[in-house]
Amino acid sequence: VRNPLGTLFRELKRSEEALRASRDSVRREVEARTAELRESLELQRGILSAAMDGIWVVDGDGRVLEVNDAACRMLGYAREELAGASISALDAHEDPQVVAAHLARMRTLGFEHYETLHRRKDGVLVPVEISGALLPGRGAAVFIARDITRRRLAEAERATLQAQFHHAQKLESLGSLAGGVAHDINNVLAAISALAAVHGARAEAGGRLARDMGTIAQACARGGKLVGGLLAFSRRSPREDRPFALGDVVGEVAALLASTTLQKVQLKTDLEPGLPPVRGDRAALAHALTNLCVNAVDAMPGGGTLAIRTRRDGAGWVRLEVEDTGTGMPPEVLERALDPFFTTKDVGKGTGLGLAIVHSTVQAHGGELSLQSRPGAGTTVTLRLPPAPGDVLPAPEGAALEAGVRALQVLLVDDDDLILASVPQLLGLLGHEALTFQRAEDALRALDGGLQADVAVMDLHMPGMGGGELLPLIRERRPGLPILLVTGKADQGALDLVAAHEGVRLLSKPFGREELERALRLAVS
């Protein structure tokens, strides 16, 4: 009996040890699996916590089961506040039916992607990009919400830059068009102006013909200013490039306004003494200032105050302000005020080029223009211009005009029949003789054949050999011959030619008797 019992006892003991070993093995495996699961959960929580995008886990009804820290930060809620909330209540852009439609599409396709607006706890709207995916077998879904505020701002900035680029292209196209037709238009105006001067001088003083010729001359001058304004859009540099005192320009414009357009408007000037000179085209800046003042007067039909101020403005720059107490401009008008051909004036009372020309002129001088205006509070236009290198102003040219000019032999080279038919008569009126040539090559051959001239007046833009090519060839043959380079488009190329050759001056088309007479006197003085 002892032996079977002993054997059974030993078997039971071995079974108990095996069971204990198996239980320990299972326990160790469970502990290992639990540790792995805990590590996995901690890793998942770490990933969720570290994620920059908001992560939402929602049930089949669209209610929040879990969110990460980024989602809480994005919307300004605590995790407890979001638990159980409906995601449609957090969407500021769509209604519950639209959110339900997104969920339905996700159940069908397994994923969904769209953009919407979420509302923060403080009411601020946040543009977000949503990517959603179905969690298989659970009826739940996970949504990743990315804040796209910076992207939207970048897109808006890019759209603004594109609009500015297209606007610049429009201005460039306008300038190219103006430059293309300016030469021919100015030839026509120059011919009309020359003959008007000739017949006006021959007519009885004060008679009907003299008055009519004066009106024609004024019309030509106005047409020339309009063409010059259009050319301002294509001009990269001023017609002239000389230092001058801005205060003198203000004084001249103020004197002109006082005798013409002010009427009910009171003009006040406040000019800081000792300002550094600016460099560029004095006449162009005077025209720009006149435009600003005329606009200001038009904005005060019932009267008011027009103030013109000059000041130093950092690093030696000069600031010019034109301020009125007029009607002002609403934001939508202020935004387009510098656009060419934009005007709020009645048909026939404005070209819409005034402020655009001013802006272009200031840019051509390396300056800046800013506008401030509110309805009922007037308008202030500020021009900032760089100082001229050095502080020395040139001596006035008036002394050169005091002496008379002897009769001159004028070499006139121009391809336009209208110019050749009219300008010689104007030269004759001034006591000079014109030696006319329609081709630069013919004029050059005449000089080689011994033709003598006291001054050359030649068009810059001609078919074949233009004035730019003719000028250095004349300089080789007649080093001391004064030259007037005539053009209706004084661009940088023309200025460079003048700067590269002594004794060369620009004469802009259209020109009348006084402009031609002055140019000849300065050329031969």
Side-chain angles (χ1 to χ4, degrees):
V1 176
R2 290 179 184 175
N3 289 337
L5 289 175
T7 300
L8 179 60
F9 178 76
R10 286 192 297 272
E11 290 296 331
L12 288 173
K13 189 174 181 180
R14 282 195 296 268
S15 296
E16 182 181 2
E17 290 174 352
L19 181 61
R20 186 183 299 114
S22 176
R23 186 177 59 222
D24 291 343
S25 176
V26 171
R27 178 175 53 79
R28 286 193 299 270
E29 185 176 353
V30 169
E31 289 176 350
R33 294 289 182 88
T34 302
E36 290 178 0
L37 181 60
R38 186 181 298 113
E39 290 177 2
S40 177
L41 290 174
E42 289 177 355
L43 179 60
Q44 291 178 19
R45 290 194 183 97
I47 293 174
L48 291 176
S49 178
M52 301 299 294
D53 297 331
I55 299 178
W56 309 71
V57 180
V58 300
D59 61 19
D61 295 326
R63 295 197 171 275
V64 178
L65 298 175
E66 182 63 46
V67 294
N68 69 341
D69 293 340
C72 296
R73 289 193 303 268
M74 186 184 298
L75 297 184
Y77 288 98
R79 183 176 275 101
E80 295 77 14
E81 293 177 294
L82 291 174
S86 172
I87 59 172
S88 61
L90 302 173
D91 198 301
H93 187 63
E94 298 171 338
D95 57 34
Q97 288 76 18
V98 175
V99 175
H102 286 308
L103 290 172
R105 278 196 296 270
M106 190 167 57
R107 292 189 190 98
T108 302
L109 301 175
F111 64 91
E112 176 69 317
H113 185 86
Y114 60 97
E115 292 184 7
T116 185
L117 289 173
H118 281 176
R119 189 184 302 279
R120 287 174 48 89
K121 186 176 181 180
D122 57 10
V124 175
L125 299 182
V126 182
V128 291
E129 180 183 60
I130 302 294
S131 297
L134 204 61
L135 295 177
R138 299 188 59 183
V142 60
F143 289 93
I144 299 176
R146 173 166 293 178
D147 187 342
I148 57 174
T149 301
R150 290 186 179 180
R151 192 176 80 189
R152 289 283 179 86
L153 292 175
E155 289 172 352
E157 183 178 359
R158 184 164 56 251
T160 300
L161 291 175
Q162 286 178 342
Q164 291 174 348
F165 175 71
H166 292 319
H167 180 69
Q169 283 184 318
K170 284 197 306 182
L171 294 183
E172 186 175 354
S173 298
L174 176 60
S176 299
L177 176 62
V181 301
H183 182 266
D184 290 338
I185 292 178
N186 281 322
N187 276 344
V188 173
L189 293 175
I192 297 172
S193 179
L195 291 179
V198 170
H199 291 288
R202 293 173 179 171
E204 180 183 354
R208 174 68 179 272
L209 181 59
R211 292 196 303 272
D212 289 348
M213 292 300 106
T215 301
I216 292 173
Q218 290 176 1
C220 290
R222 182 180 297 181
K225 287 182 179 179
L226 180 59
V227 174
L230 291 173
L231 284 173
F233 296 119
S234 61
R235 189 176 301 128
R236 306 264 180 202
S237 59
R239 283 175 180 259
E240 296 182 354
D241 188 20
R242 297 188 298 174
F244 59 91
L246 189 59
D248 292 345
V249 174
V250 174
E252 293 171 1
V253 173
L256 176 65
L257 293 172
S259 61
T260 54
T261 61
L262 290 182
Q263 299 175 356
K264 300 179 182 179
V265 174
Q266 182 182 8
L267 175 63
K268 294 183 178 181
T269 57
D270 181 9
L271 310 180
E272 181 176 331
L275 291 178
V278 297
R279 189 176 186 91
D281 190 335
R282 175 176 176 149
L285 283 174
H287 185 226
L289 177 58
T290 303
N291 264 332
L292 293 178
C293 293
V294 169
N295 281 348
V297 171
D298 289 344
M300 297 182 286
T305 301
L306 170 62
I308 307 176
R309 292 184 289 269
T310 59
R311 292 287 187 273
R312 293 180 185 270
D313 193 0
W317 282 52
V318 179
R319 185 174 78 248
L320 172 64
E321 294 180 355
V322 179
E323 182 181 12
D324 66 65
T325 59
T327 55
M329 292 181 278
E332 62 273 15
V333 173
L334 184 62
E335 184 179 356
R336 299 190 57 195
L338 299 179
D339 289 354
F341 301 114
F342 174 76
T343 180
T344 57
K345 297 179 181 179
D346 295 336
V347 176
K349 294 186 177 181
T351 63
L353 287 172
L355 279 176
I357 290 174
V358 173
H359 188 213
S360 178
T361 300
V362 173
Q363 286 184 321
H365 285 76
E368 302 169 354
L369 182 147
S370 60
L371 287 171
Q372 290 182 325
S373 186
R374 287 188 297 115
T379 300
T380 300
V381 185
T382 302
L383 279 57
R384 294 183 69 250
L385 297 168
D391 293 324
V392 179
L393 291 172
E397 294 180 336
L401 301 180
E402 293 179 0
V405 178
R406 61 180 174 83
L408 302 172
Q409 293 274 84
V410 180
L411 175 65
L412 177 63
V413 187
D414 200 298
D415 66 294
D416 195 285
D417 292 334
L418 294 176
I419 297 297
L420 295 180
S422 57
V423 173
Q425 296 189 51
L426 182 57
L427 288 168
L429 180 66
L430 298 175
H432 311 304
E433 180 183 359
L435 310 170
T436 62
F437 294 90
Q438 197 164 24
R439 298 175 69 250
E441 294 83 355
D442 294 339
L444 202 59
R445 279 193 290 270
L447 289 174
D448 289 337
L451 178 70
Q452 297 298 315
D454 299 303
V455 60
V457 179
M458 57 189 188
D459 192 18
L460 178 59
H461 302 287
M462 293 183 290
M465 183 186 295
E469 293 82 15
L470 178 61
L471 192 155
L473 296 176
I474 290 181
R475 268 286 167 264
E476 291 177 3
R477 293 160 172 77
R478 301 286 193 276
L481 181 66
I483 296 176
L484 291 180
L485 201 58
V486 184
T487 178
K489 184 183 179 182
D491 53 17
Q492 188 60 47
L495 295 175
D496 290 342
L497 279 174
V498 173
H501 300 276
E502 292 186 5
V504 179
R505 288 178 172 271
L506 280 180
L507 176 61
S508 297
K509 294 179 182 178
F511 52 82
R513 173 177 178 173
E514 293 181 359
E515 291 85 358
L516 181 58
E517 184 176 19
R518 176 184 177 86
L520 290 172
R521 286 185 176 183
L522 290 173
V524 301
S525 60

